Amino acid sequence: MDNPLVSIIIPTYNRAHLIGETLDSVLAQTYQNWECLVVDDGSSDTTDALIATYKTSDVRFQYLHRPSKKIKGASACRNVGLEAAQGDYIIFFDSDDVMTPDHIMVKVLAMQSDPCDYVITRTEFLKGQKEDNENNYRFHLYPLTTFNYVSQAINWLTPDACIKRNMAKSIQFNESLHAGQEFNYFSKLVHQSVNARFVNKTVTLRRSHNDSIHARLDTPQKSSERIFRTKWITYLELIDKADRDTRRELLKSCASALYEGRLAWNWNKLLFTKAILKEYGFRSMYYFLLVMNLRMFGKGYYFYKKLTRHHQTINNPPNS
């Protein structure tokens, strides 16, 4: 493919004040063979009118709406975009981020020069905004494996990936997740293939603002609930694909979130306990000691650390 079509999928909700800058950065791309699918999640601002102006001026823009029968959220919108996308490559983007002019070109050239199933680039936050990027892009320390991604020894952000269409479409975003859905999707992606290339170049500029999902999850308990739900659902979806260490890593994260957050919401405790027994066998006694200590003394994480200590070391340790 000398000039492959690239599909850019952008979910949006009440971002009329921001998405114009995002779409302008798409128009400014040096690589021109793209289609941009904006999928609206039920906006009540002026998004409809704004996107109409872009559609009128450039037929490469499409404006879709999440069907009312689908659960509200970015995951459903991305799935709608995936279904409609015609491109050879798929890029997921956000309605408040900005592409550098060579964003698509860098990804396409990487895909073509080193045949792989997907490439990963870098994102930096807009000038003057700071976020924790410490655990992202550590490919110089860890190879891309299923365990290293699931354990977050390496990580990347949603706009970083460019994925072959057939592979991208073979995986669905979990529409029941309203946070952590990218981790869930990419965990499933690495179980499809780790034939990927990292390009150490920043091609996305991200905005951090107060109406983001993570900004609203402003209590430790809510954060713990989000982590538990994301890792538990991912465990259930990968139970027949992931190796034992990866499954245990997901359960370890679940238990850590469950007890660090002192969570008590409606989840299937019996199913979770059965999973602990299945994955750890006789060593699961530490899990039950954790439960007992938590109930009696409000403590117990020590026992769980003992249960998982030898699994905290990444499969491939950092290069010395």
Side-chain angles (χ1 to χ4, degrees):
M1 295 182 292
D2 293 331
N3 192 37
L5 177 65
V6 177
S7 296
I8 306 161
I9 299 172
I10 306 178
T12 191
Y13 176 71
N14 285 346
R15 289 277 176 79
H17 60 300
L18 294 174
I19 195 172
E21 187 177 2
T22 301
L23 301 185
D24 287 343
S25 74
V26 174
L27 282 170
Q29 290 300 297
T30 55
Y31 187 89
Q32 290 290 299
N33 192 24
W34 51 262
E35 62 173 4
C36 183
L37 297 86
V38 180
V39 187
D40 193 88
D41 197 28
S43 295
S44 57
D45 61 1
T46 59
T47 297
D48 281 357
L50 178 67
I51 304 302
T53 64
Y54 283 89
K55 283 185 60 181
T56 299
S57 62
D58 196 316
V59 296
R60 291 175 295 179
F61 287 105
Q62 298 181 42
Y63 189 37
L64 309 173
H65 290 78
R66 171 186 52 79
S68 58
K69 65 181 180 181
K70 280 186 170 288
I71 300 173
K72 181 177 176 60
S75 292
C77 292
R78 289 189 179 115
N79 286 338
V80 169
L82 266 175
E83 185 176 350
Q86 298 297 310
D88 301 292
Y89 302 143
I90 305 292
I91 295 173
F92 299 110
F93 213 69
D94 291 330
S95 58
D96 55 346
D97 294 340
V98 176
M99 292 183 169
T100 63
D102 60 349
H103 180 109
I104 301 177
M105 182 68 77
V106 166
K107 291 180 172 179
V108 169
L109 289 177
M111 293 287 284
Q112 293 183 325
S113 64
D114 185 10
C116 55
D117 293 319
Y118 52 100
V119 299
I120 300 159
T121 54
R122 294 182 66 98
T123 292
E124 298 293 340
F125 286 83
L126 288 169
K127 186 176 180 180
Q129 297 181 335
K130 295 182 179 180
E131 291 284 341
D132 182 10
N133 239 9
E134 181 180 349
N135 292 329
N136 297 335
Y137 317 120
R138 299 193 297 178
F139 294 92
H140 61 296
L141 297 177
Y142 304 100
L144 176 56
T145 66
T146 57
F147 181 87
N148 284 349
Y149 179 78
V150 169
S151 67
Q152 296 288 269
I154 52 175
N155 189 31
W156 57 86
L157 303 181
T158 309
D160 294 329
C162 178
I163 311 168
K164 285 184 176 178
R165 177 180 62 191
N166 290 343
M167 181 156 292
K169 284 178 174 263
S170 71
I171 311 166
Q172 290 279 296
F173 282 86
N174 190 303
E175 297 179 10
S176 71
L177 289 172
H178 295 288
Q181 60 266 51
E182 297 89 353
F183 170 84
N184 175 269
Y185 181 89
F186 289 133
S187 291
K188 291 182 284 191
L189 175 65
V190 298
H191 279 83
Q192 292 278 65
S193 172
V194 290
N195 179 23
R197 178 183 174 190
F198 172 58
V199 180
N200 192 19
K201 182 176 176 61
T202 297
V203 296
T204 302
L205 301 177
R206 168 156 283 195
R207 179 182 285 106
S208 177
H209 50 84
N210 292 332
D211 66 339
S212 67
I213 289 175
H214 292 292
R216 293 197 299 271
L217 296 173
D218 55 356
T219 68
Q221 186 173 28
K222 287 184 178 181
S223 178
S224 294
E225 181 175 346
R226 170 177 59 85
I227 293 169
F228 176 88
R229 182 170 173 78
T230 299
K231 300 299 177 71
W232 176 234
I233 287 177
T234 302
Y235 171 83
L236 293 176
E237 289 190 288
L238 291 176
I239 195 167
D240 294 326
K241 293 183 177 181
D243 60 34
R244 186 183 66 176
D245 284 345
T246 302
R247 297 195 306 269
R248 286 182 171 184
E249 177 65 25
L250 288 166
L251 289 180
K252 182 188 77 174
S253 297
C254 288
S256 297
L258 188 63
Y259 293 106
E260 287 182 352
R262 303 294 190 264
L263 301 180
W265 76 98
N266 185 25
W267 58 281
N268 193 324
K269 298 178 181 65
L270 178 60
L271 187 59
F272 181 68
T273 302
K274 285 182 176 179
I276 293 286
L277 286 166
K278 175 184 176 182
E279 301 298 347
Y280 286 100
F282 77 93
R283 299 181 71 242
S284 61
M285 66 180 179
Y286 289 111
Y287 167 73
F288 295 106
L289 286 172
L290 182 149
V291 175
M292 186 183 304
N293 275 265
L294 181 70
R295 288 179 176 174
M296 293 176 65
F297 308 111
K299 299 179 181 179
Y301 190 54
Y302 165 78
F303 293 100
Y304 194 78
K305 285 180 68 177
K306 188 173 181 181
L307 170 66
T308 59
R309 184 173 296 156
H310 79 285
H311 292 292
Q312 291 179 1
T313 302
I314 304 303
N315 282 1
N316 298 279
N319 299 325
S320 56

